[in-house]
Amino acid sequence: MPKLNPLKKTAATRDPEATKCQILDAATIEFAVGGLAAARTESIAAKTGVTKAMIYYYFNSKEELYRAVMQRCFNEDLRLVKQLNLDQLTPPQALVTVVSNMYQKMCSRPQMASILALESIQNSGKYYPQQTAEILFDQLIDLLDRGIDSGDFRPLESRHTAISIVGSCAFYFIARENLKHMWPGQDLLSPEMIDRQSKEATNMILAGVLAPGKSV
Amino acid sequence: MPKLNPLKKTAATRDPEATKCQILDAATIEFAVGGLAAARTESIAAKTGVTKAMIYYYFNSKEELYRAVMQRCFNEDLRLVKQLNLDQLTPPQALVTVVSNMYQKMCSRPQMASILALESIQNSGKYYPQQTAEILFDQLIDLLDRGIDSGDFRPLESRHTAISIVGSCAFYFIARENLKHMWPGQDLLSPEMIDRQSKEATNMILAGVLAPGKSV
DNA sequence: AAGATAACTAACAAGTAAGTTAATTATTGG
DNA sequence: CCAATAATTAACTTACTTGTTAGTTATCTT
């Protein structure tokens, strides 16, 4: 009874890896808007070249697909952060690098911030990949501690401050649709806007943590 | 056929205003977890003493109920902010007041941050009450501009900086469920934790915007 | 105190969504 | 090149969700 379209993808009519990737890509977009709860498997499938049944063939359930999306997001992030070689920079330099890099990452993949916010709000962090995420956060916390020890940064509680720092960045991406009226007609994800926001945030954060008299 | 529980609320068996309020309260909690899309009217009703039909009787649809919840949130917020009389304070004093007040508000109603984040992410800010919200944001922006003019604050772009400031506060509440492993066994909404986070954020923000040599 | 009206309920109709299944087509290894 | 297997599909089942409706009970007015 099922009648297949005779002329599908010319070359690779079947490519399991590509199909899995297509599903993950589509799911990332869908989960970034509604989170696990509001995402529709039908809608994810519609974004791909394959049917909904493929989601279950490769990922067994919406929940497992969600886990896979989250894990992939963090793996990519981890890979990028490792390339920064923060230990080889002074604490102030490292902080500037981390912050501007955070904006670059969130700009190129604006789903990241949304997915994490939704995970916390909707699922109480049940699917948050702690192990991986901790490495990322610790990178920033260690950097702050290093700066306090070296006298570059004023005395501060590094964990609380790390949250403020990440928050000042992430919030721009999380709340951007609410805030767009502040710059009518502008795209808040345009390179120019990101650049301005990134610079202002970097200025505030750096000035906010540097010990009196110190600079980059 | 409908059999009513003979012993309901002793006194006010019927109280339209209280019922509406119950629905709004329950809806606020439900929308704060799932947003408009993932909220269940059935679940909202279950949190109240009345049936689902009452939601439609008083609010016509899930969407209108959502609008009402959002509007009430902002009205409360606006009332609180007006009481601060920021004009009567110096810019640094006013900034400290705004920030610590922001933590107090979000602590007493942690739904606020979640609802706003969800609105931006899920609905692209379609239901975001711009008029009301703008007043709140402008309060902070004007304060920053006032500080730049007076020389208390360094030159900065007040809109971008305002976002960083609000973000460093809001993010703690938005992402708290993801971040709770940073303080194992602690309640991130406990007065002590809020106080510490608030203090650290205030320190960073103030130091981040003050002109060199200036203080509160 | 009776009739009108406002508040409220249980049960239902219609539509949506997750996950399954049996059949179909492509790929691969002998 | 053929059989086994992997990838894929359309259609279906089951469960859930929104919104409605017809009827019931409390309250209010005169």
Side-chain angles (χ1 to χ4, degrees), chain B residues 81-139:
Chain B
V81 170
K82 275 180 182 161
Q83 292 175 350
L84 296 178
N85 292 112
L86 296 172
D87 329 312
Q88 293 163 27
L89 302 170
T90 67
Q93 284 171 336
L95 183 56
V96 171
T97 305
V98 165
V99 171
S100 67
N101 189 253
M102 195 144 44
Y103 276 97
Q104 290 312 313
K105 279 187 311 197
M106 290 189 186
C107 180
S108 63
R109 298 178 302 138
Q111 295 91 31
M112 185 80 182
S114 302
I115 285 180
L116 292 178
L118 289 170
E119 168 55 21
S120 175
I121 294 170
Q122 289 187 335
N123 312 318
S124 304
K126 182 180 169 187
Y127 304 97
Y128 184 72
Q130 268 192 35
Q131 312 292 344
T132 321
E134 209 153 356
I135 298 171
L136 287 162
F137 239 96
D138 283 351
Q139 206 98 8

Side-chain angles (χ1 to χ4, degrees), chain B residues 43-92:
Chain B
S43 171
I44 292 169
K47 290 183 182 56
T48 69
V50 294
T51 59
K52 187 178 50 144
M54 283 294 94
I55 291 170
Y56 294 90
Y57 183 69
Y58 285 116
F59 298 96
N60 301 313
S61 67
K62 189 168 83 160
E63 190 180 316
E64 270 189 55
L65 174 59
Y66 181 67
R67 274 186 212 277
V69 164
M70 182 112 3
Q71 195 56 59
R72 193 179 65 155
C73 273
F74 271 88
N75 288 344
E76 283 178 37
D77 228 56
L78 203 55
R79 194 173 47 77
L80 290 168
V81 170
K82 275 180 182 161
Q83 292 175 350
L84 296 178
N85 292 112
L86 296 172
D87 329 312
Q88 293 163 27
L89 302 170
T90 67

Side-chain angles (χ1 to χ4, degrees), chain B residues 2 4 13-14 39-42 52-53 56 62:
Chain B
L4 189 63
T13 325
R14 281 182 181 191
R40 298 288 162 245
T41 56
E42 196 61 63
K52 187 178 50 144
Y56 294 90
K62 189 168 83 160

